[in-house]
């Protein structure tokens, strides 16, 4: 028998031992290949979803590659740990360390090659089914199965390179291992590690500082704090698992009335060893789970934004231009023509908005005429505004501003024309998008508006006013083909020039919604694939560690059974052990994510008046349910191994 045959038969004779590692790599290849098939699809490459979606897919692909490499490396290390005694026997029988490294390399490449081939075959077989789901979600007329060399070559290149590099790195550790340590196992090598009281306290302090910064984040400090918070929380999490947990258990052990009670001593003593040996694994699982939670939460936020888009944008089409805008007549007529050609009913309102200076704040204020506003409110079927001369009303710019301004009374004068006003009310509903008007906008009576003959004092440096055309369209989702030429001018200006210089601004809610919906749908699919890999990995990290210690655990429980431990007590101890290993890192990840979404919610409140609480709570509940099912599945397998 040649050395190559020995390695090959070693894999297939003991395939049961290789199954966990094989399944982990197979699933990674399977997901990556399906994702590559979608990314290289001709319909995607033709750009029907926009450049943002393509960029998002490429970014997600890079994350998948990096994470898959780390996942395979970690799985291989855990797998090699589980086989340490087998390696010790081979070294005792005369195998050189170079031959042992060569054996590991050949075995890893054999598993890698088969997992790549099967992952690609199954991935291609399921691609058509996957495209059917994507087609329904994106509401496409067709997304057929295709054949191209690019997904195949990319998948083989990424994963075969990963197996070659990771196998080579693993071989580099072989010369440092001693036969005595291999026989005794990894547990005995690291068991002498202890904890530092200073690092234990530092872990808690860093996490608390990170959470405090999240609570104190405002619109002005968000960019600084979002850079600092991950740094504090990441280092805090590392010290939490490496030192803080051990400090807590040490304090529990000193309380004899707690520690010396029934089987609790056995449970706590075992957890000390588990936490010492697996602290880095818990740290990795926490970070990976946090990424999975954040991915789900971001998708939920996008879902919330998409579902509330009509509420945020009550007007179908808005055209806003400077007073001397040379394009105004041409653009407004083209919008009307597009609407009528497509048979879309609309209600147009024209506003002449004037800027003045308020003596109360010395700031500019945007002044709207009562009749113009009532024209728009009539189309909404909202209550009309009725103001006397000298009376004014705030225009709300967010839902919160309605509550804030309800009891506010301001006595001011429009400085340029000496018009005295009392602003003592706010309109009870939003009727302009938040970004379209100033936060300092008011409605005055027609009589007072006629008195505004003198220009804004800061003109011509600041525009003295603007014209606003609103098109109230009941079915604004059908307007995606209206004003495409104007939209392209605005988009080009944003792309080509750093400072926006066009004399007008155009917003078509239906067109924007079609882009947002397509982007959201695609990113949802991508996000689900990424989360699936994260979820599998975070659970697999725990499972591989349990699997690596299975022989030791089995001997330990056999010994305890001989001295009177019942099966019921054994299951109770196993459950408590696994609960800590599973839910301690996931619980901490959930807490990290909760504070992260508190920051996101504050930002969305400031910029869009958008709530994502309901969607995030629903997603986290589903996530917890999946993790509980996963826990009982692994508990069942673990008890089967121990009992067997």
């Amino acid at each position: 028998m040649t050395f190559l045959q020995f390695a090959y038969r070693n894999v297939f004779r003991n395939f049961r031992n290789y199954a966990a590692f094989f399944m982990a790599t197979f699933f990674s290849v399977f997901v990556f290949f399906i994702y590559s098939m979608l990314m290289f699809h001709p319909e995607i490459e033709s750009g029907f979803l926009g450049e943002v979606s393509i960029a998002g897919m490429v970014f997600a692909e890079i994350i998948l590659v990096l994470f898959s490499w780390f996942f395979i490396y970690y799985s291989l290390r855990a797998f090699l740990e589980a086989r340490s005694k087998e390696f010790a026997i081979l070294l005792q029988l005369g195998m050189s360390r170079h031959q042992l490294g060569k054996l590991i390399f050949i075995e890893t490449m054999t598993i890698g090659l088969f997992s790549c081939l099967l992952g690609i075959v199954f991935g291609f077989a399921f691609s058509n089914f996957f495209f059917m789901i994507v087609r329904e979600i994106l509401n496409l007329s067709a997304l057929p199965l295709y054949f191209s060399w690019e997904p195949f070559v990319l998948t083989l290149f990424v994963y075969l390179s990963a197996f070659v590099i990771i196998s080579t790195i693993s071989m580099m550790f072989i010369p440092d291992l001693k036969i005595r340590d291999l026989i005794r196992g990894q547990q005995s090598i690291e068991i002498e590690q202890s904890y530092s009281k200073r690092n234990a306290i530092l872990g808690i302090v860093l996490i608390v500082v990170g959470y405090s910064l999240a609570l104190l984040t405002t619109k002005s400090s968000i960019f600084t704090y979002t850079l600092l918070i991950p740094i504090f929380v990441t280092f805090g999490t590392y010290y939490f698992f490496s030192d803080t947990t051990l400090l807590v258990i040490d304090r529990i052990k000193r309380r004899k009335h707690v520690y010396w009670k029934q089987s609790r001593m056995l449970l706590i003593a075992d957890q000390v060893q588990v936490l010492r040996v697996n602290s880095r694994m818990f740290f990795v699982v926490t970070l990976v789970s946090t990424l999975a939670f954040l991915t789900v939460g971001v998708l939920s936020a996008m879902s919330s934004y998409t579902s509330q888009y009509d509420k945020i944008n009550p007007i179908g089409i808005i055209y806003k231009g400077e007073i001397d805008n040379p394009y105004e007549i041409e653009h407004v007529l083209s919008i009307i023509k597009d609407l009528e050609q497509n048979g879309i009913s609309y209600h147009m309102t024209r506003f002449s908005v004037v800027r003045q200076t308020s003596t109360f704040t010395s700031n500019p204020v945007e002044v709207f005429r009562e009749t113009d506003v009532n024209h728009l409110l009539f189309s909404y079927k909202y209550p009309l505004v009725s103001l006397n001369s000298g009376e004014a009303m705030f225009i709300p710019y967010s839902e919160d501003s309605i509550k804030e301004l309800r009891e506010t009374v301001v006595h001011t004068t429009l400085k340029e024309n000496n018009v005295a006003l009392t602003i003592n009310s706010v309109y009870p509903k939003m009727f302009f998008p938040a970004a379209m008007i100033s936060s300092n906008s008011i409605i005055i009576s027609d009589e007072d508006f006629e008195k505004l003959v003198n220009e804004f004092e800061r003109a011509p440096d600041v525009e003295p006013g603007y014209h606003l055309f609103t098109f109230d369209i009941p079915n604004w989702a059908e307007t995606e083909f209206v004003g495409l030429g104007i939209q392209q001018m605005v988009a080009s200006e944003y792309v080509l020039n750093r400072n926006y210089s066009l004399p007008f601004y155009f917003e078509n809610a239906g067109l924007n919604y079609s882009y947002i919906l397509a982007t959201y749908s695609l990113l949802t699919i991508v996000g689900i694939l990424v989360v699936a890999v994260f979820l599998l990995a975070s659970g697999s990290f725990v499972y591989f560690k349990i699997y690596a210690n299975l022989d030791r655990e089995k001997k330990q429980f056999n010994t305890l059974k001989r001295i009177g431990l019942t099966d019921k007590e054994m299951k109770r101890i196993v459950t408590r052990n696994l609960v800590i290993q599973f839910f301690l890192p996931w619980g901490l990840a959930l807490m990290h994510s909760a504070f992260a979404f508190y920051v996101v919610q504050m930002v969305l409140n400031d910029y869009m008046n958008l709530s994502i609480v309901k969607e995030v709570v629903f997603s986290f509940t589903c996530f917890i349910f999946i993790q509980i099912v996963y826990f009982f599945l692994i508990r069942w397998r673990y008890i089967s191994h121990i009992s067997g």
Side-chain angles (χ1 to χ4, degrees), residues 379-639:
S379 70
Y380 285 156
K381 297 184 173 59
Y382 284 180
L384 302 183
V385 174
S386 178
L387 297 171
N388 298 318
S389 179
E391 192 181 3
M393 177 183 283
F394 289 111
I395 298 178
Y397 52 91
S398 68
E399 293 293 338
D400 290 339
S401 69
I402 297 174
K403 299 174 187 172
E404 293 169 7
L405 298 172
R406 189 172 293 156
E407 304 299 330
T408 304
V409 177
V410 175
H411 299 283
T412 186
T413 300
L414 301 181
K415 186 178 174 184
E416 289 81 356
N417 293 283
N418 197 30
V419 177
L421 296 172
T422 299
I423 314 172
N424 55 8
S425 60
V426 59
Y427 194 78
K429 292 185 178 182
M430 283 186 66
F431 52 89
F432 282 129
M436 194 51 61
I437 60 168
S438 159
S439 59
N440 200 12
S441 299
I442 59 172
I443 312 167
I444 64 174
S445 65
D446 291 5
E447 184 181 348
D448 288 335
F449 196 86
E450 296 298 329
K451 298 175 184 174
L452 305 182
V453 292
N454 297 324
E455 265 195 351
F456 183 42
E457 65 177 7
R458 301 185 194 178
D461 297 331
V462 178
E463 280 292 314
Y466 57 86
H467 292 164
L468 185 65
F469 293 85
T470 62
F471 295 80
D472 178 32
I473 301 169
N475 298 320
W476 54 257
E478 300 173 355
T479 61
E480 56 184 300
F481 302 108
V482 176
L484 287 178
I486 308 171
Q487 180 70 29
Q488 285 172 0
M489 286 179 68
V490 173
S492 301
E493 181 68 15
Y494 276 121
V495 173
L496 299 176
N497 296 323
R498 182 175 296 178
N499 298 320
Y500 190 85
S501 59
L502 287 177
F504 64 89
Y505 179 76
F506 175 73
E507 186 169 311
N508 182 341
L511 181 61
N512 295 341
Y513 184 71
S514 66
Y515 287 136
I516 290 169
L517 188 62
T519 304
Y520 162 69
S521 303
L522 184 63
L523 292 182
T524 298
I525 296 164
V526 173
I528 288 172
L529 290 177
V530 173
V531 169
V533 174
F534 284 170
L535 265 179
L536 176 80
S538 61
S540 299
F541 289 146
V542 177
Y543 180 76
F544 283 139
K545 272 294 177 185
I546 293 172
Y547 179 78
N549 302 324
L550 206 56
D551 288 340
R552 183 183 68 84
E553 297 286 331
K554 192 172 180 179
K555 287 179 183 175
Q556 179 180 313
F557 278 110
N558 282 338
T559 304
L560 291 173
K561 275 187 176 181
R562 290 194 195 101
I563 61 177
L565 185 75
T566 65
D567 286 343
K568 187 177 178 182
E569 288 173 325
M570 187 266 289
K571 288 181 180 178
R572 188 165 61 237
I573 292 172
V574 166
T575 303
R576 290 176 179 176
N577 276 339
L578 291 182
V579 162
I580 294 173
Q581 293 185 53
F582 261 76
F583 292 106
L584 181 62
W586 283 335
L588 191 60
L590 197 63
M591 195 172 292
H592 291 347
S593 306
F595 278 91
F597 281 108
Y598 176 81
V599 176
V600 174
Q601 180 59 76
M602 291 298 103
V603 174
L604 290 176
N605 264 344
D606 287 339
Y607 286 98
M608 301 179 189
N609 191 35
L610 189 70
S611 172
I612 59 171
V613 175
K614 190 167 62 177
E615 287 79 5
V616 169
V617 169
F618 176 75
S619 304
F620 281 9
T621 304
C622 294
F623 223 142
I624 292 170
F625 175 74
I626 292 171
Q627 298 290 16
I628 291 173
V629 172
Y630 199 12
F631 163 76
F632 279 105
L633 180 66
I634 290 187
R635 175 184 174 275
W636 166 65
R637 292 298 305 151
Y638 184 78
I639 290 177

Side-chain angles (χ1 to χ4, degrees), residues 150-179:
E150 291 165 315
F152 293 88
V153 172
L154 179 65
T155 306
L156 284 174
F157 173 75
V158 167
Y159 282 93
L160 288 182
S161 304
F163 284 114
V164 170
I165 294 172
I166 291 169
S167 304
T168 306
I169 292 173
S170 299
M171 286 168 57
M172 294 167 61
F173 293 100
I174 298 296
D176 299 330
L177 295 177
K178 297 176 181 177
I179 295 177

